[in-house]
Amino acid sequence: MRQAILVMNNGGFDTLQQTINLLDDKDIDFYVYAKNDGSLTAKNSKLNFVGCNKNVHAQTFAELVEEKLLINQALKGDYEYFHLISSNDFPLMTKQYFKDYFASKPIKLGFVEFSDSQDQHSLAFYYPFNNFNYQRVWTAFPFVKVCMLLNHLLGVERIASDDVVKGCPYFSLPREYVTELDEQKVDNYRHTVNPKNFFAQTALKNLKTNNPEYTINSNRFNLMKAYSDSARYANYVKTKKINWFDEKAYQFSDSDKDELGKVVNAEYAFAHNVTDADDLSSLLKG
């Protein structure tokens, strides 16, 4: 079965090169949102580079445009199965296990059971910029607060609370569902915060099932559950959350080798947000 791995550009390709090395195969190709500067190489996989805007900031509409472009380009190939990952995601399956595991074309798209008022504010309110840098904590916080206040005063509500569906922005899906995503219009996500956390789940909300393990008082735990349902191993509990809109995952490194080693060749295809992974590659070799 032919598979395509779509790579969101989250800055730096050291981890991505290791991912390519570990999954390098004639039946697994990569689509990378970047310019081809020769820094990424593969022996058997085909590397496809999709036009790049270097100034894409996290949690913005520009990110969603990036995702849609990757999907559109990958669908031009004869692939039966697709994975959307971050350039900082690292495989937790050996190449053969990866191919065998996804041969049955499982649906791996994680949903958060309950979207709270903050999630609704992300989509319902109007934010004037489509590529604002929300990582600049001391400017992002007052900017968002002022926007929220004005939206409250003006009674802005661009989407009903029942229509807000959130989850893990990364997925592993058969072609039919990725085609549905490609057909979706995204203009209604302009001037929102973190739209990629809602896009796939809203478009494919018919795949959502009740999650009996959901606890309303632990939104970060349930975001981790959504990642797990997407076959991604992530940790949002270890990080300090400064702003409600700034959902940064814990950054795994070689020091987490023992923890990650326990979930190799299991139900997780990738560890999310990995850096300094030189030693982690040994988990998937020999």
Side-chain angles (χ1 to χ4, degrees):
M1 182 182 73
R2 301 264 294 145
Q3 302 186 58
I5 298 178
L6 288 54
V7 185
M8 302 279 288
N9 188 340
N10 295 90
F13 289 139
D14 290 344
T15 299
L16 177 57
Q17 183 60 66
Q18 293 180 64
T19 296
I20 293 171
N21 293 344
L22 291 165
L23 297 178
D24 195 3
D25 189 271
K26 64 181 180 61
D27 290 323
I28 302 174
D29 292 339
F30 290 81
Y31 286 77
V32 185
Y33 189 78
K35 292 182 179 178
N36 185 5
D37 60 3
S39 61
L40 293 172
T41 60
K43 294 180 180 179
N44 301 301
S45 296
K46 182 179 179 181
L47 303 184
N48 303 275
F49 295 90
V50 177
C52 177
N53 174 0
K54 290 186 177 180
N55 296 318
V56 171
H57 292 303
Q59 300 164 291
T60 64
F61 177 74
E63 263 195 325
L64 185 53
V65 173
E66 175 184 343
E67 176 181 341
K68 282 278 287 180
L69 183 59
L70 285 167
I71 289 172
N72 180 265
Q73 292 300 305
L75 281 171
K76 295 178 181 179
D78 61 342
Y79 308 104
E80 298 180 54
Y81 200 83
F82 300 78
H83 309 267
L84 180 70
I85 71 170
S86 155
S87 58
N88 294 323
D89 287 356
F90 184 83
L92 289 175
M93 295 177 174
T94 59
K95 181 168 58 179
Q96 191 57 54
Y97 188 95
F98 184 90
K99 294 176 69 174
D100 293 343
Y101 183 88
F102 289 107
S104 63
K105 302 179 186 178
I107 297 171
K108 295 295 181 179
L109 178 66
F111 293 81
V112 169
E113 181 64 21
F114 172 80
S115 294
D116 59 21
S117 60
Q118 293 175 344
D119 294 330
Q120 185 187 9
H121 293 160
S122 295
L123 297 186
F125 287 171
Y126 180 94
Y127 302 87
F129 304 112
N130 276 320
N131 196 21
F132 183 76
N133 189 352
Y134 291 100
Q135 305 304 309
R136 293 180 179 174
V137 176
W138 305 116
T139 56
F141 182 76
F143 167 75
V144 171
K145 293 297 287 184
V146 169
C147 288
M148 290 176 64
L149 175 61
L150 292 174
N151 278 274
H152 272 300
L153 292 174
L154 295 172
V156 176
E157 186 175 354
R158 300 164 65 192
I159 184 172
S161 59
D162 291 342
D163 295 327
V164 176
V165 189
K166 182 181 179 181
C168 171
Y170 307 104
F171 57 74
S172 295
L173 291 170
R175 187 181 186 92
E176 61 184 287
Y177 297 108
V178 180
T179 300
E180 284 191 52
L181 295 179
D182 184 52
E183 294 170 349
Q184 296 296 311
K185 303 295 185 183
V186 296
D187 284 347
N188 57 320
Y189 289 100
R190 291 182 184 274
H191 304 291
T192 61
V193 176
N194 217 5
K196 70 178 175 59
N197 276 21
F198 303 89
F199 171 64
Q201 281 72 18
T202 300
L204 301 174
K205 58 185 176 182
N206 59 307
L207 297 178
K208 185 175 183 289
T209 57
N210 291 330
N211 180 357
E213 296 187 41
Y214 174 78
T215 52
I216 195 169
N217 294 320
S218 183
N219 287 343
R220 297 174 79 184
F221 168 78
N222 288 288
L223 186 57
M224 288 170 56
K225 280 286 297 171
Y227 270 77
S228 177
D229 291 340
S230 295
R232 271 62 174 173
Y233 188 82
N235 193 320
Y236 282 86
V237 175
K238 288 185 178 181
T239 57
K240 182 179 180 181
K241 189 173 183 178
I242 299 176
N243 297 327
W244 63 262
F245 52 84
D246 187 15
E247 294 171 331
K248 285 186 177 179
Y250 171 75
Q251 196 167 60
F252 293 104
S253 66
D254 285 341
S255 62
D256 299 293
K257 182 177 179 180
D258 289 343
E259 177 183 348
L260 295 178
K262 295 176 182 177
V263 293
V264 165
N265 286 347
E267 299 296 317
Y268 299 100
F270 299 94
H272 177 58
N273 200 20
V274 176
T275 185
D276 186 27
D278 292 339
D279 196 35
L280 293 179
S281 296
S282 63
L283 293 172
L284 302 174
K285 294 178 179 178

